[in-house]
Amino acid sequence: MIGAMEALAQLDLLNLEPSAKTRLAAMIAALQRASAAKDLKIQALTLELAHLRRIRFGVKSEALPQTQRDLFQDTWNEDSAAVEAEIERLADGAAAPAAAKPKRAGAGRQPLPDPLPRIEHRHEPEACQCPRCGNTDLVLIGEDVTEQLDVEPARFFVHRHIRPQYACRPCETVAAAPVPPAIIDGGLAAVGLLAWVLIGKHVAHLPLYRLEQIAARDGVVLSRSTLADWVGRLGVALQPLADRLAWHLRRGGTLHADETPVAQLDPGSGKAKKAYLWAYRSNDLEPGPRIVVFDYRPGRGGGHARAFLGTWQGHLRVDDYAGYKALFAPEREAAPPCVELGCWAHARRKFFELHQANQSPMAGEALRRIGQLYAVEAEARSLDIPARQRLRAERALPELESLRAWLAETRARTAPGTGAAKALDYTLKRWPALVRYAETGDLPVDNNPVENAIRPIAVGKKNWLFSGSERAGQRAAAIQTLLGTAKLNGLDPAAWLRDTLAKLPAWPNSRIDELLPFHTQIPQA
C-alpha cells in the first residue's frame, strides 16, 4: 500500500477529471485506514494470545483442586485456539505469528484404534484425463489416504477418505480429486464428532474432561487440549451466525429480556467474580421465527442492556430490575425511549409466595383474579392478532379494571411494611406497564418465554461451576444462541449443527441467512 502523499502525487500524473480524482483519493485513503485497523487488530490479538499462553504455561501451582485446574486449562486452550483462528482469518490465511509452544510428552495425533469400523469414501477426479494435455491413458501410482474420526451416539467410527492419484506419462502430471474445505483444515475430527463435542459441552453441560472419559471407554484417545482447541475454533467459525441472529432479533417490535449470574474466574486472585448472562427473546405472538440471543457481560449494570439494544425501539418485557429503567426514561439520548411491559408472572409470584407462607386470604384472592387473566390468554392462544385483541378488550380489560380497584381498596386497609403491602405495592407501582398488553393483540402477558429459555443454562451451570474467562463466556453465549434458537424452532440442535458445520467452510456470506437455525428443515444425517 503506497503512502497517502505518494498516492496523491501519482494521481496528479493521471489525466483525470477533478471529481474522479477526488473519489479515487478517498478510496485510497479508506483502504489505508482499513489496512491500518486490520494491523492493529492482529497486533492486539497477538498480545492477547501471548498473555493466554503465559497464563497457560507459566502457572505451575494453584490453590485449587485438580479438577478445577483442569477446567481452567480447558478455557485457556479454547481461548488460545479462538485467538489463533481470528489472527489467521484477519491475515487472509497467513500463518499466525510464530510463538514457541512447550512440547509435552506424548504430544501429537494419536493413532485411531484399529477395531473401529471404517467407512471408505473414494474421491475420483471429475474427468479421467490429464488436466494439462487431455490424455486419457492415466496410470494409478498411489493413493492419498486420510482418516477422520466421527461419532454417532454411543458409537465411534472412522471415515476413510481415499483419493486415487493418476499420472499422465506424456506430460508427467498427477491428477487427483481435490480436498474439500473443512471447518478445521486438516483436523482429525469429522463434523459429527465436532457436533458431539459442542452438544455435550453446551447442551448436556458436560465439562471436557467428562467427554474425554466417554471417548476413552471406547478406546478413543481425545485429550482435553485437543477438545479445547476444537471448541475455540468452532466458536470463532460460528460467531457470524450468532451475530446475524442478534440482528434479526432486533428487527422485532417486542423483546423479552432477563439475566442470570455466572461465576467467572478472576486470574491472579485465585477466586471467582460475578458475571452475567443476559438473554433476549423474540415475541411468540408476532409473526416470524423464534429467536433467543444470549449476551455474556462482566456485570449487571443497565449499560450492558443499552449496549446490546443500541438504537432499537419497541416494547421491552422485563422484571422490575432497576438496570432497565434508563431504557424507558424520556431523556434517553441514543433513541426515543423503549416502552416498558410488566410481567404478570412476577406480580403473581409475590402473592404466591405470600400465600405459601401463611395461607393469606388476600393473596388467595389475588391469585384467583390473576388466574382469570391467564384463562383469557389460554383461550386466545390459537387466535390471530385481531381476534386476540378483541377477546382481550371484551374479557381481559374489565378483569383488569376490577383487579385495579380491588388492589387499591385492599392496600388502603393494609399496614405498611408487611409482606402483603409489598406484594400490593409491587403490582400497583407497575400497573401501567402491566396492563399495556391487554390493549393490543400481539403483546405477551409475561416474561416466561425468556425465563424458560435461560433455565437450562441456569441449571446446567451447576455442572461447569464457572466461566474461565470473559472470552469463554462470550463464546459459550454465541453457541448457546444458535442451539437455543434451533430448539425453539423445533429443530434437532445436533442435526442442525452437523449440517451447518459441513456447509459453513464453502458457504457464501451473502447467503448466511440460509444457515440460521430456522430457515428450512434440516435433512437427517
Side-chain angles (χ1 to χ4, degrees):
M1 178 70 68
I2 59 177
M5 298 300 296
E6 185 180 349
L8 294 175
Q10 294 291 335
L11 288 177
D12 290 336
L13 299 178
L14 300 176
N15 187 18
L16 297 175
E17 294 291 334
S19 59
K21 186 184 297 184
T22 301
R23 290 195 298 271
L24 189 55
M27 292 174 59
I28 293 174
L31 289 173
Q32 290 174 329
R33 290 193 298 270
S35 178
K38 178 180 175 181
D39 292 341
L40 289 175
K41 180 67 173 176
I42 292 177
Q43 182 181 8
L45 289 171
T46 303
L47 292 174
E48 183 180 356
L49 180 60
H51 174 69
L52 289 170
R53 286 175 174 168
R54 184 167 63 253
I55 294 176
R56 167 65 180 86
F57 298 110
V59 179
K60 298 301 182 183
S61 64
E62 196 168 350
L64 291 170
Q66 178 62 40
T67 302
Q68 294 191 11
R69 289 203 301 271
D70 289 341
L71 292 175
F72 297 153
Q73 176 180 319
D74 294 341
T75 296
W76 293 327
N77 289 337
E78 293 171 11
D79 288 349
S80 297
V83 173
E84 288 176 353
E86 289 187 34
I87 293 175
E88 291 170 4
R89 185 170 61 182
L90 288 172
D92 296 328
K101 292 185 178 180
K103 291 187 177 181
R104 296 174 289 106
R109 177 176 295 186
Q110 300 293 325
L112 299 176
D114 290 334
L116 292 181
R118 258 68 175 174
I119 301 175
E120 291 193 353
H121 307 268
R122 299 193 68 87
H123 305 274
E124 296 284 350
E126 294 182 0
C128 193
Q129 63 182 17
C130 176
R132 182 186 237 175
C133 67
N135 176 42
T136 58
D137 186 18
L138 302 184
V139 180
L140 180 64
I141 61 172
E143 293 178 339
D144 178 23
V145 180
T146 58
E147 292 190 338
Q148 287 183 316
L149 185 65
D150 204 345
V151 63
E152 291 179 353
R155 185 173 78 97
F156 288 91
F157 58 95
V158 177
H159 290 285
R160 219 175 143 81
H161 299 273
I162 302 173
R163 294 179 177 82
Q165 298 180 347
Y166 296 93
C168 174
R169 285 175 174 168
C171 65
E172 299 182 353
T173 300
V174 176
V179 178
I183 195 73
I184 299 178
D185 289 333
L188 168 71
V191 293
L193 180 59
L194 296 175
W196 177 77
V197 172
L198 287 189
I199 294 297
K201 180 177 175 65
H202 294 288
V203 176
H205 302 286
L206 296 176
L208 294 182
Y209 78 88
R210 295 191 187 177
L211 298 179
E212 180 185 35
Q213 293 171 351
I214 292 173
R217 287 196 288 269
D218 277 336
V220 177
V221 178
L222 294 177
S223 67
R224 270 165 285 178
S225 61
T226 298
L227 295 175
D229 182 84
W230 294 346
V231 172
R233 292 181 176 273
L234 291 175
V236 172
L238 293 172
Q239 185 64 52
L241 296 178
D243 294 340
R244 187 63 175 174
L245 276 181
W247 180 85
H248 279 285
L249 179 79
R250 286 189 287 262
R251 295 183 67 192
T254 306
L255 295 181
H256 300 265
D258 198 10
E259 71 288 332
T260 186
V262 175
Q264 177 185 314
L265 174 65
D266 188 7
S269 68
K271 300 178 181 179
K273 59 184 180 181
K274 185 179 289 188
Y276 279 85
L277 185 66
W278 297 69
Y280 302 89
R281 171 79 152 78
S282 61
N283 177 16
D284 290 347
L285 300 184
E286 289 181 343
R290 298 181 176 184
I291 301 174
V292 60
V293 173
F294 297 100
D295 187 38
Y296 185 90
R297 297 289 180 170
R300 200 189 181 196
H304 299 306
R306 292 194 295 273
F308 177 84
L309 295 174
T311 59
W312 178 83
Q313 305 170 39
H315 292 83
L316 187 63
R317 172 75 70 185
V318 296
D319 55 22
D320 199 31
Y321 170 51
Y324 297 110
K325 299 304 180 184
L327 296 169
F328 313 123
E331 62 273 11
R332 184 184 175 199
E333 297 178 359
C338 298
V339 180
E340 181 181 11
L341 295 178
C343 174
W344 272 107
H346 279 81
R348 181 187 181 278
R349 196 170 300 155
K350 305 294 182 182
F351 295 105
F352 177 81
E353 293 171 353
L354 185 63
H355 190 264
Q356 288 289 102
N358 56 19
Q359 298 297 309
S360 165
M362 183 277 294
E365 176 63 15
L367 292 175
R368 186 193 68 79
R369 289 174 176 268
I370 295 174
Q372 296 295 327
L373 300 177
Y374 275 90
V376 175
E377 292 305 302
E379 186 176 341
R381 187 174 296 120
S382 60
L383 303 179
D384 58 16
I385 292 177
R388 187 182 299 112
Q389 183 172 5
R390 288 193 298 269
L391 182 63
R392 285 175 172 178
E394 295 171 1
R395 301 265 301 280
L397 285 178
E399 290 285 350
L400 285 166
E401 291 175 3
S402 175
L403 176 58
R404 172 71 172 84
W406 178 82
L407 289 171
E409 179 184 352
T410 305
R411 180 62 183 89
R413 296 184 280 102
T414 304
T418 61
K422 292 179 180 178
L424 292 166
D425 287 341
Y426 178 91
T427 305
L428 290 171
K429 182 182 69 172
R430 306 206 70 211
W431 190 258
L434 287 169
V435 301
R436 198 164 277 137
Y437 85 95
E439 301 167 355
T440 73
D442 60 346
L443 296 180
V445 67
D446 57 33
N447 216 23
N448 283 347
V450 72
E451 291 189 358
N452 293 336
I454 209 172
R455 184 173 293 111
I457 299 176
V459 174
K461 66 184 178 183
K462 296 179 181 179
N463 277 356
W464 42 265
L465 302 179
F466 45 75
S467 171
S469 69
E470 185 173 345
R471 176 182 282 272
Q474 292 169 350
R475 175 173 55 251
I479 296 173
Q480 291 284 6
T481 292
L482 295 167
L483 301 181
T485 299
K487 288 190 289 185
L488 287 179
N489 288 277
L491 300 178
D492 176 8
W496 172 84
L497 191 56
R498 285 193 300 268
D499 182 74
T500 301
L501 293 179
K503 293 177 178 177
L504 192 57
W507 199 262
N509 189 58
S510 60
R511 296 170 54 197
I512 191 173
D513 283 355
E514 297 179 29
L515 292 182
L516 298 181
F518 53 71
H519 183 72
T520 56
Q521 289 294 327
I522 304 301
Q524 294 297 320

